Amino acid sequence: MIVADKKPIEEIIDMVKGYQKILIAGCNECVTVCEAGGKKEVGVLASALRMYFMNEGEKIEVDEITLERQCDHEYLEEIRNSIDQYDAVVSLACGVGVQFMAEKYFGTPVYPGVNTCFMGVTEERGVWSERCQGCGQCILGKTAGICPISRCAKRLLNGPCGGSTQGKCEISKDLDCAWQLIIDRLKELDRLDEYEEIAPIKDWSTERAGGPRKVVREDVRQ
Amino acid sequence: MRLRYPDTIRIIRVPCTGKVDLIHILRAFEKGADGVYVVGCMEGDCRFDNGNLRARKRVEQAQAILDKVGVGGERVKMFNLSSGEGPRFVEYAVEMTEKMEEMGPNPIKIAMQKAA
Amino acid sequence: MSAKTPSRLEKILDSGQLAVTSECGPPRGSDPETITKKAEMIKDHVDAINITDNQTSVTRLSSLASCIHLKLMGLEPTLQMVVRDRNRIALQSDILGAASFDIHNILCLSGDHQVFGDSSQGQNVFDLDSMQLIQTVRLMRDEGKFLGGDDIKRPPQMFVGAAANPFADPFEIRVPRLAKKIAAGVEFIQTQCIYNLDKFELWMKQARDRGLHEKVYILAGVTPLRSAGMAKYMKNRVPGMDVPDEVVKRMAGVPKENQPEEGINICVETIQRLKECEGVRGFHIMAIEWEEKVPEIVERSGLYPRLKD
């Protein structure tokens, strides 16, 4: 899922200062799972903001809503009839949702309430880690199911580098060396001889480098 | 035991302090409570294993938020005791009450009164 | 293996002699004298001089510019090129830049992650990795083509090198990794500096078992220790470095003012022992900020005088 982390409340306070009526909009999917922007977090943020501004002697109305997703037209339409009463929206969805909301409600300022981080897994409650960077040309079949692009700090396709120490990356003892993981798994799958195949130079044009990306499926377009 | 404790305290009973969520604590302050305290079982004795540990974490989160919004993190606290410890219950009640008297009323309450 | 480039280093290795190379670190400023002075100190004792490329991700005068200064002095530079900071356009472009000054040696490296240096907030590139850079230089040289497929006018004639670290983990793939670099086209290797001779000799044995010592020229890396503190630091704080306890003990067992001398003794002994190691075709002496000791090390190791052409 997309993993995000809550923005510090000071940052959000700064964004909404001066508005009289705002909507905190959460999302029921990824940000709920990583406990950054779901219904609970919306409630907590709204309560905190009310208390802050009350303390400051400033009037502000803070409403709450949690949409199913903020990346599909249908779900964002749910607030079509109520959006105009708000001076601004703080969206706790990932960066995708914040933008889609802003596109849809062109005249309403939309602010991000979380920092969107990466595509990753829940290792355990409270710990999420990166697994995919969306390079657009998946090579997991060749690397025993472990991605060197997202999990190697140098995204080496022919690793490991000379800094790999005891299975950890040179940049941090808390980071597994992706190539150690790949080698371990190749061994487990009895495919260690594949290690010596040289991975070719990558076509990065399907990655960020090639420009903002689109997937078009003519077969399902209406 | 019929011990007496300060009458400015409203008790809300829960089957386990693990049921207390962060929003419950914050809402109490939003509505003007001067202090909130959570009393759970001794750590390690929770009948549901770690409900009281979750409560402690949520109290800590509440403390951080209350500090940031100008209410004061010391207004919320977690206590642990076993169900037979009547006198200790009173002790905690007195401790919180005295602390709140020392800190003064919740600034939110004052602001609400002003606005009214 | 017969020489394919005008590289002096290649010629010496080809002739069957032991080669000696060393390295200089460029300054954190634009004064070329820092480089030229260091080069002056060692020029008669080495066959080629590596110039490091923003080593440890600390921004310095570029390796390419420094190599040009050396070339203008009539010396033989080795361009170290990391893939951390340049995409394929810049890599090929700088290779041509070096070739335009007839620089004939290149060392293809990954590069330390930028978190170690002065620009930890910067981007990194890693468009190619070091393996693919080796392939690229060979393509440019042997087929006279850019990666994109177009022809190169006056292709670079570079002797292609890379690094090897017998002491990094996992050990079991360190020889396969050497084989991989050879398959990619590497022609000479400079190893990480050696203190654990047993481990190095084991790695060499495994390489020999596969015949790799005949497919690539391996230069053993050595670095003289200046103090027991340096030994401890390298042991504990430098990734991919193996400094055995005996070495640290030996350094610590000598009074502080004698430690530099002891470090040089260890260095010379290492070279003497590895001269007997089949497959070791030369030595790469890394004495960063202690370049003045290189002549002594070379002489005491019986590697002086160097061949002059």
Side-chain angles (χ1 to χ4, degrees), chain A residues 1-4 25-39 41 66-72 75 92-94 122 128:
Chain A
M1 66 199 172
I2 297 176
V3 177
C27 170
N28 212 17
E29 301 237 356
C30 303
V31 290
T32 295
V33 179
C34 58
E35 308 194 45
K39 187 169 176 195
E41 289 77 33
T66 300
L67 301 169
E68 192 57 36
R69 286 200 282 285
Q70 293 185 27
C71 48
D72 282 317
Y75 297 118
L92 300 190
C94 70
T122 307
W128 294 276

PDB file of all heavy atoms in Angstrom, chain A residues 1-4 25-39 41 66-72 75 92-94 122 128:
ATOM      1  N   MET A   1       0.855  -1.193   0.000  1.00  0.00           N
ATOM      2  CA  MET A   1       0.000   0.000   0.000  1.00  0.00           C
ATOM      3  C   MET A   1       0.892   1.243   0.000  1.00  0.00           C
ATOM      4  O   MET A   1       2.102   1.139   0.163  1.00  0.00           O
ATOM      5  CB  MET A   1      -0.821   0.017   1.277  1.00  0.00           C
ATOM      6  CG  MET A   1       0.071   0.205   2.491  1.00  0.00           C
ATOM      7  SD  MET A   1      -0.712  -0.295   3.961  1.00  0.00           S
ATOM      8  CE  MET A   1       0.628  -0.185   5.095  1.00  0.00           C
ATOM      9  N   ILE A   2       0.226   2.368  -0.151  1.00  0.00           N
ATOM     10  CA  ILE A   2       0.962   3.624  -0.057  1.00  0.00           C
ATOM     11  C   ILE A   2       1.116   3.953   1.419  1.00  0.00           C
ATOM     12  O   ILE A   2       0.140   3.995   2.158  1.00  0.00           O
ATOM     13  CB  ILE A   2       0.215   4.750  -0.788  1.00  0.00           C
ATOM     14  CG1 ILE A   2       0.120   4.414  -2.281  1.00  0.00           C
ATOM     15  CG2 ILE A   2       0.920   6.081  -0.577  1.00  0.00           C
ATOM     16  CD1 ILE A   2      -0.675   5.393  -3.096  1.00  0.00           C
ATOM     17  N   VAL A   3       2.327   4.176   1.838  1.00  0.00           N
ATOM     18  CA  VAL A   3       2.570   4.455   3.249  1.00  0.00           C
ATOM     19  C   VAL A   3       2.816   5.947   3.426  1.00  0.00           C
ATOM     20  O   VAL A   3       3.609   6.555   2.696  1.00  0.00           O
ATOM     21  CB  VAL A   3       3.788   3.663   3.767  1.00  0.00           C
ATOM     22  CG1 VAL A   3       4.086   4.010   5.214  1.00  0.00           C
ATOM     23  CG2 VAL A   3       3.531   2.171   3.627  1.00  0.00           C
ATOM     24  N   ALA A   4       2.099   6.515   4.391  1.00  0.00           N
ATOM     25  CA  ALA A   4       2.270   7.940   4.664  1.00  0.00           C
ATOM     26  C   ALA A   4       2.487   8.120   6.155  1.00  0.00           C
ATOM     27  O   ALA A   4       2.247   7.208   6.944  1.00  0.00           O
ATOM     28  CB  ALA A   4       1.033   8.709   4.212  1.00  0.00           C
ATOM     29  N   ALA A  25     -10.571  15.836   5.722  1.00  0.00           N
ATOM     30  CA  ALA A  25     -11.061  14.713   4.914  1.00  0.00           C
ATOM     31  C   ALA A  25     -10.083  13.549   4.960  1.00  0.00           C
ATOM     32  O   ALA A  25      -8.963  13.654   4.475  1.00  0.00           O
ATOM     33  CB  ALA A  25     -11.277  15.172   3.472  1.00  0.00           C
ATOM     34  N   GLY A  26     -10.524  12.456   5.522  1.00  0.00           N
ATOM     35  CA  GLY A  26      -9.656  11.274   5.599  1.00  0.00           C
ATOM     36  C   GLY A  26      -9.947  10.319   4.465  1.00  0.00           C
ATOM     37  O   GLY A  26     -10.800  10.550   3.610  1.00  0.00           O
ATOM     38  N   CYS A  27      -9.201   9.226   4.440  1.00  0.00           N
ATOM     39  CA  CYS A  27      -9.362   8.224   3.396  1.00  0.00           C
ATOM     40  C   CYS A  27      -9.367   6.856   4.060  1.00  0.00           C
ATOM     41  O   CYS A  27      -8.563   6.570   4.955  1.00  0.00           O
ATOM     42  CB  CYS A  27      -8.206   8.340   2.399  1.00  0.00           C
ATOM     43  SG  CYS A  27      -8.139   6.971   1.236  1.00  0.00           S
ATOM     44  N   ASN A  28     -10.258   6.005   3.590  1.00  0.00           N
ATOM     45  CA  ASN A  28     -10.491   4.717   4.250  1.00  0.00           C
ATOM     46  C   ASN A  28      -9.533   3.618   3.840  1.00  0.00           C
ATOM     47  O   ASN A  28      -9.651   2.494   4.314  1.00  0.00           O
ATOM     48  CB  ASN A  28     -11.934   4.278   3.907  1.00  0.00           C
ATOM     49  CG  ASN A  28     -12.545   3.498   5.040  1.00  0.00           C
ATOM     50  OD1 ASN A  28     -12.068   3.538   6.172  1.00  0.00           O
ATOM     51  ND2 ASN A  28     -13.605   2.769   4.728  1.00  0.00           N
ATOM     52  N   GLU A  29      -8.596   3.932   2.970  1.00  0.00           N
ATOM     53  CA  GLU A  29      -7.756   2.847   2.469  1.00  0.00           C
ATOM     54  C   GLU A  29      -6.339   2.868   3.031  1.00  0.00           C
ATOM     55  O   GLU A  29      -6.147   2.724   4.228  1.00  0.00           O
ATOM     56  CB  GLU A  29      -7.789   2.852   0.942  1.00  0.00           C
ATOM     57  CG  GLU A  29      -9.205   2.685   0.437  1.00  0.00           C
ATOM     58  CD  GLU A  29      -9.411   1.510  -0.492  1.00  0.00           C
ATOM     59  OE1 GLU A  29      -8.426   0.834  -0.823  1.00  0.00           O
ATOM     60  OE2 GLU A  29     -10.549   1.269  -0.866  1.00  0.00           O
ATOM     61  N   CYS A  30      -5.338   3.112   2.180  1.00  0.00           N
ATOM     62  CA  CYS A  30      -3.941   2.985   2.612  1.00  0.00           C
ATOM     63  C   CYS A  30      -3.625   3.762   3.885  1.00  0.00           C
ATOM     64  O   CYS A  30      -3.026   3.227   4.822  1.00  0.00           O
ATOM     65  CB  CYS A  30      -2.994   3.474   1.525  1.00  0.00           C
ATOM     66  SG  CYS A  30      -3.207   2.636  -0.038  1.00  0.00           S
ATOM     67  N   VAL A  31      -4.053   5.042   3.932  1.00  0.00           N
ATOM     68  CA  VAL A  31      -3.659   5.847   5.096  1.00  0.00           C
ATOM     69  C   VAL A  31      -4.365   5.403   6.367  1.00  0.00           C
ATOM     70  O   VAL A  31      -3.940   5.732   7.468  1.00  0.00           O
ATOM     71  CB  VAL A  31      -3.869   7.365   4.864  1.00  0.00           C
ATOM     72  CG1 VAL A  31      -2.879   7.894   3.861  1.00  0.00           C
ATOM     73  CG2 VAL A  31      -5.298   7.658   4.451  1.00  0.00           C
ATOM     74  N   THR A  32      -5.461   4.646   6.206  1.00  0.00           N
ATOM     75  CA  THR A  32      -6.094   4.069   7.385  1.00  0.00           C
ATOM     76  C   THR A  32      -5.225   2.920   7.898  1.00  0.00           C
ATOM     77  O   THR A  32      -4.979   2.794   9.091  1.00  0.00           O
ATOM     78  CB  THR A  32      -7.507   3.543   7.056  1.00  0.00           C
ATOM     79  OG1 THR A  32      -8.325   4.650   6.702  1.00  0.00           O
ATOM     80  CG2 THR A  32      -8.122   2.838   8.254  1.00  0.00           C
ATOM     81  N   VAL A  33      -4.731   2.114   6.964  1.00  0.00           N
ATOM     82  CA  VAL A  33      -3.931   0.958   7.359  1.00  0.00           C
ATOM     83  C   VAL A  33      -2.624   1.389   8.015  1.00  0.00           C
ATOM     84  O   VAL A  33      -2.173   0.779   8.984  1.00  0.00           O
ATOM     85  CB  VAL A  33      -3.634   0.066   6.134  1.00  0.00           C
ATOM     86  CG1 VAL A  33      -2.786  -1.123   6.538  1.00  0.00           C
ATOM     87  CG2 VAL A  33      -4.925  -0.408   5.505  1.00  0.00           C
ATOM     88  N   CYS A  34      -2.036   2.467   7.512  1.00  0.00           N
ATOM     89  CA  CYS A  34      -0.800   2.899   8.162  1.00  0.00           C
ATOM     90  C   CYS A  34      -1.066   3.977   9.203  1.00  0.00           C
ATOM     91  O   CYS A  34      -0.159   4.700   9.622  1.00  0.00           O
ATOM     92  CB  CYS A  34       0.248   3.348   7.150  1.00  0.00           C
ATOM     93  SG  CYS A  34      -0.271   4.689   6.090  1.00  0.00           S
ATOM     94  N   GLU A  35      -2.315   4.049   9.646  1.00  0.00           N
ATOM     95  CA  GLU A  35      -2.705   4.854  10.810  1.00  0.00           C
ATOM     96  C   GLU A  35      -2.246   6.299  10.724  1.00  0.00           C
ATOM     97  O   GLU A  35      -1.811   6.889  11.712  1.00  0.00           O
ATOM     98  CB  GLU A  35      -2.195   4.189  12.096  1.00  0.00           C
ATOM     99  CG  GLU A  35      -2.631   2.725  12.156  1.00  0.00           C
ATOM    100  CD  GLU A  35      -2.489   2.063  13.505  1.00  0.00           C
ATOM    101  OE1 GLU A  35      -2.870   2.681  14.515  1.00  0.00           O
ATOM    102  OE2 GLU A  35      -2.015   0.917  13.548  1.00  0.00           O
ATOM    103  N   ALA A  36      -2.364   6.869   9.521  1.00  0.00           N
ATOM    104  CA  ALA A  36      -1.947   8.258   9.352  1.00  0.00           C
ATOM    105  C   ALA A  36      -3.105   9.175   8.975  1.00  0.00           C
ATOM    106  O   ALA A  36      -3.098  10.349   9.333  1.00  0.00           O
ATOM    107  CB  ALA A  36      -0.871   8.351   8.271  1.00  0.00           C
ATOM    108  N   GLY A  37      -4.127   8.618   8.274  1.00  0.00           N
ATOM    109  CA  GLY A  37      -5.143   9.526   7.755  1.00  0.00           C
ATOM    110  C   GLY A  37      -6.532   8.948   7.674  1.00  0.00           C
ATOM    111  O   GLY A  37      -7.350   9.385   6.886  1.00  0.00           O
ATOM    112  N   GLY A  38      -6.807   7.960   8.505  1.00  0.00           N
ATOM    113  CA  GLY A  38      -8.127   7.352   8.492  1.00  0.00           C
ATOM    114  C   GLY A  38      -9.080   8.086   9.412  1.00  0.00           C
ATOM    115  O   GLY A  38      -8.772   9.164   9.939  1.00  0.00           O
ATOM    116  N   LYS A  39     -10.216   7.471   9.641  1.00  0.00           N
ATOM    117  CA  LYS A  39     -11.263   8.115  10.432  1.00  0.00           C
ATOM    118  C   LYS A  39     -10.751   8.519  11.822  1.00  0.00           C
ATOM    119  O   LYS A  39     -11.039   9.608  12.315  1.00  0.00           O
ATOM    120  CB  LYS A  39     -12.440   7.149  10.553  1.00  0.00           C
ATOM    121  CG  LYS A  39     -13.645   7.748  11.190  1.00  0.00           C
ATOM    122  CD  LYS A  39     -14.852   6.831  11.049  1.00  0.00           C
ATOM    123  CE  LYS A  39     -16.026   7.436  11.807  1.00  0.00           C
ATOM    124  NZ  LYS A  39     -17.103   6.474  12.009  1.00  0.00           N
ATOM    125  N   GLU A  41      -7.707   9.187  12.784  1.00  0.00           N
ATOM    126  CA  GLU A  41      -6.750  10.280  12.718  1.00  0.00           C
ATOM    127  C   GLU A  41      -7.449  11.587  12.388  1.00  0.00           C
ATOM    128  O   GLU A  41      -7.050  12.653  12.861  1.00  0.00           O
ATOM    129  CB  GLU A  41      -5.672   9.971  11.671  1.00  0.00           C
ATOM    130  CG  GLU A  41      -4.703   8.858  12.093  1.00  0.00           C
ATOM    131  CD  GLU A  41      -5.282   7.457  11.963  1.00  0.00           C
ATOM    132  OE1 GLU A  41      -6.092   7.228  11.038  1.00  0.00           O
ATOM    133  OE2 GLU A  41      -4.929   6.591  12.786  1.00  0.00           O
ATOM    134  N   THR A  66     -14.709  11.049   6.319  1.00  0.00           N
ATOM    135  CA  THR A  66     -13.729  10.090   5.800  1.00  0.00           C
ATOM    136  C   THR A  66     -14.337   9.426   4.575  1.00  0.00           C
ATOM    137  O   THR A  66     -15.365   8.757   4.656  1.00  0.00           O
ATOM    138  CB  THR A  66     -13.374   9.037   6.869  1.00  0.00           C
ATOM    139  OG1 THR A  66     -12.818   9.719   7.997  1.00  0.00           O
ATOM    140  CG2 THR A  66     -12.355   8.048   6.339  1.00  0.00           C
ATOM    141  N   LEU A  67     -13.683   9.653   3.437  1.00  0.00           N
ATOM    142  CA  LEU A  67     -14.181   9.094   2.180  1.00  0.00           C
ATOM    143  C   LEU A  67     -13.589   7.714   1.955  1.00  0.00           C
ATOM    144  O   LEU A  67     -12.539   7.381   2.508  1.00  0.00           O
ATOM    145  CB  LEU A  67     -13.787  10.019   1.017  1.00  0.00           C
ATOM    146  CG  LEU A  67     -14.332  11.441   1.144  1.00  0.00           C
ATOM    147  CD1 LEU A  67     -13.686  12.347   0.102  1.00  0.00           C
ATOM    148  CD2 LEU A  67     -15.842  11.442   0.991  1.00  0.00           C
ATOM    149  N   GLU A  68     -14.243   6.930   1.139  1.00  0.00           N
ATOM    150  CA  GLU A  68     -13.758   5.583   0.864  1.00  0.00           C
ATOM    151  C   GLU A  68     -12.367   5.632   0.242  1.00  0.00           C
ATOM    152  O   GLU A  68     -11.457   4.916   0.637  1.00  0.00           O
ATOM    153  CB  GLU A  68     -14.737   4.886  -0.080  1.00  0.00           C
ATOM    154  CG  GLU A  68     -14.499   3.394  -0.221  1.00  0.00           C
ATOM    155  CD  GLU A  68     -14.542   2.668   1.116  1.00  0.00           C
ATOM    156  OE1 GLU A  68     -15.356   3.044   1.986  1.00  0.00           O
ATOM    157  OE2 GLU A  68     -13.728   1.743   1.307  1.00  0.00           O
ATOM    158  N   ARG A  69     -12.215   6.484  -0.763  1.00  0.00           N
ATOM    159  CA  ARG A  69     -10.901   6.763  -1.367  1.00  0.00           C
ATOM    160  C   ARG A  69     -10.941   8.190  -1.856  1.00  0.00           C
ATOM    161  O   ARG A  69     -12.008   8.778  -1.956  1.00  0.00           O
ATOM    162  CB  ARG A  69     -10.662   5.878  -2.609  1.00  0.00           C
ATOM    163  CG  ARG A  69     -10.359   4.447  -2.353  1.00  0.00           C
ATOM    164  CD  ARG A  69      -9.677   3.815  -3.576  1.00  0.00           C
ATOM    165  NE  ARG A  69     -10.571   3.485  -4.658  1.00  0.00           N
ATOM    166  CZ  ARG A  69     -11.400   2.458  -4.672  1.00  0.00           C
ATOM    167  NH1 ARG A  69     -11.511   1.680  -3.619  1.00  0.00           N
ATOM    168  NH2 ARG A  69     -12.151   2.225  -5.726  1.00  0.00           N
ATOM    169  N   GLN A  70      -9.812   8.752  -2.158  1.00  0.00           N
ATOM    170  CA  GLN A  70      -9.821  10.078  -2.758  1.00  0.00           C
ATOM    171  C   GLN A  70      -9.180  10.052  -4.135  1.00  0.00           C
ATOM    172  O   GLN A  70      -8.818  11.080  -4.684  1.00  0.00           O
ATOM    173  CB  GLN A  70      -9.118  11.093  -1.832  1.00  0.00           C
ATOM    174  CG  GLN A  70      -9.900  11.321  -0.543  1.00  0.00           C
ATOM    175  CD  GLN A  70      -9.306  12.405   0.337  1.00  0.00           C
ATOM    176  OE1 GLN A  70      -8.649  13.323  -0.149  1.00  0.00           O
ATOM    177  NE2 GLN A  70      -9.520  12.297   1.640  1.00  0.00           N
ATOM    178  N   CYS A  71      -9.044   8.846  -4.694  1.00  0.00           N
ATOM    179  CA  CYS A  71      -8.401   8.767  -6.009  1.00  0.00           C
ATOM    180  C   CYS A  71      -9.359   8.295  -7.095  1.00  0.00           C
ATOM    181  O   CYS A  71      -8.935   7.918  -8.180  1.00  0.00           O
ATOM    182  CB  CYS A  71      -7.191   7.846  -5.931  1.00  0.00           C
ATOM    183  SG  CYS A  71      -7.521   6.287  -5.116  1.00  0.00           S
ATOM    184  N   ASP A  72     -10.622   8.260  -6.778  1.00  0.00           N
ATOM    185  CA  ASP A  72     -11.633   7.908  -7.782  1.00  0.00           C
ATOM    186  C   ASP A  72     -12.715   8.972  -7.798  1.00  0.00           C
ATOM    187  O   ASP A  72     -13.148   9.443  -6.746  1.00  0.00           O
ATOM    188  CB  ASP A  72     -12.283   6.558  -7.453  1.00  0.00           C
ATOM    189  CG  ASP A  72     -11.402   5.396  -7.832  1.00  0.00           C
ATOM    190  OD1 ASP A  72     -10.819   5.433  -8.927  1.00  0.00           O
ATOM    191  OD2 ASP A  72     -11.286   4.456  -7.024  1.00  0.00           O
ATOM    192  N   TYR A  75     -16.028   8.642  -5.455  1.00  0.00           N
ATOM    193  CA  TYR A  75     -15.962   8.881  -4.010  1.00  0.00           C
ATOM    194  C   TYR A  75     -15.789  10.341  -3.681  1.00  0.00           C
ATOM    195  O   TYR A  75     -16.307  10.839  -2.688  1.00  0.00           O
ATOM    196  CB  TYR A  75     -14.850   8.037  -3.382  1.00  0.00           C
ATOM    197  CG  TYR A  75     -15.115   6.552  -3.520  1.00  0.00           C
ATOM    198  CD1 TYR A  75     -14.250   5.730  -4.240  1.00  0.00           C
ATOM    199  CD2 TYR A  75     -16.238   5.971  -2.950  1.00  0.00           C
ATOM    200  CE1 TYR A  75     -14.499   4.382  -4.385  1.00  0.00           C
ATOM    201  CE2 TYR A  75     -16.500   4.617  -3.099  1.00  0.00           C
ATOM    202  CZ  TYR A  75     -15.632   3.825  -3.817  1.00  0.00           C
ATOM    203  OH  TYR A  75     -15.875   2.498  -3.967  1.00  0.00           O
ATOM    204  N   LEU A  92      -6.242  14.190   4.465  1.00  0.00           N
ATOM    205  CA  LEU A  92      -5.270  13.276   5.061  1.00  0.00           C
ATOM    206  C   LEU A  92      -5.002  12.083   4.140  1.00  0.00           C
ATOM    207  O   LEU A  92      -4.373  11.111   4.541  1.00  0.00           O
ATOM    208  CB  LEU A  92      -5.768  12.777   6.427  1.00  0.00           C
ATOM    209  CG  LEU A  92      -6.026  13.856   7.480  1.00  0.00           C
ATOM    210  CD1 LEU A  92      -6.266  13.215   8.843  1.00  0.00           C
ATOM    211  CD2 LEU A  92      -4.860  14.812   7.596  1.00  0.00           C
ATOM    212  N   ALA A  93      -5.495  12.180   2.920  1.00  0.00           N
ATOM    213  CA  ALA A  93      -5.186  11.132   1.955  1.00  0.00           C
ATOM    214  C   ALA A  93      -3.741  11.280   1.518  1.00  0.00           C
ATOM    215  O   ALA A  93      -3.087  12.281   1.816  1.00  0.00           O
ATOM    216  CB  ALA A  93      -6.105  11.260   0.737  1.00  0.00           C
ATOM    217  N   CYS A  94      -3.247  10.303   0.779  1.00  0.00           N
ATOM    218  CA  CYS A  94      -1.896  10.413   0.241  1.00  0.00           C
ATOM    219  C   CYS A  94      -1.865  11.541  -0.794  1.00  0.00           C
ATOM    220  O   CYS A  94      -2.912  12.080  -1.157  1.00  0.00           O
ATOM    221  CB  CYS A  94      -1.477   9.103  -0.416  1.00  0.00           C
ATOM    222  SG  CYS A  94      -2.383   8.777  -1.951  1.00  0.00           S
ATOM    223  N   THR A 122       3.425  -3.615   5.734  1.00  0.00           N
ATOM    224  CA  THR A 122       3.373  -3.506   7.192  1.00  0.00           C
ATOM    225  C   THR A 122       4.236  -4.632   7.749  1.00  0.00           C
ATOM    226  O   THR A 122       3.850  -5.788   7.701  1.00  0.00           O
ATOM    227  CB  THR A 122       1.925  -3.692   7.696  1.00  0.00           C
ATOM    228  OG1 THR A 122       1.074  -2.803   7.001  1.00  0.00           O
ATOM    229  CG2 THR A 122       1.835  -3.430   9.185  1.00  0.00           C
ATOM    230  N   TRP A 128       6.483   0.308   8.991  1.00  0.00           N
ATOM    231  CA  TRP A 128       6.224   0.092   7.565  1.00  0.00           C
ATOM    232  C   TRP A 128       7.509   0.327   6.805  1.00  0.00           C
ATOM    233  O   TRP A 128       8.294   1.210   7.138  1.00  0.00           O
ATOM    234  CB  TRP A 128       5.141   1.086   7.096  1.00  0.00           C
ATOM    235  CG  TRP A 128       3.823   0.809   7.750  1.00  0.00           C
ATOM    236  CD1 TRP A 128       2.888  -0.092   7.364  1.00  0.00           C
ATOM    237  CD2 TRP A 128       3.308   1.419   8.940  1.00  0.00           C
ATOM    238  NE1 TRP A 128       1.823  -0.085   8.226  1.00  0.00           N
ATOM    239  CE2 TRP A 128       2.042   0.827   9.191  1.00  0.00           C
ATOM    240  CE3 TRP A 128       3.778   2.406   9.820  1.00  0.00           C
ATOM    241  CZ2 TRP A 128       1.249   1.191  10.297  1.00  0.00           C
ATOM    242  CZ3 TRP A 128       2.992   2.769  10.897  1.00  0.00           C
ATOM    243  CH2 TRP A 128       1.740   2.162  11.124  1.00  0.00           C
TER     244      TRP A 128
END
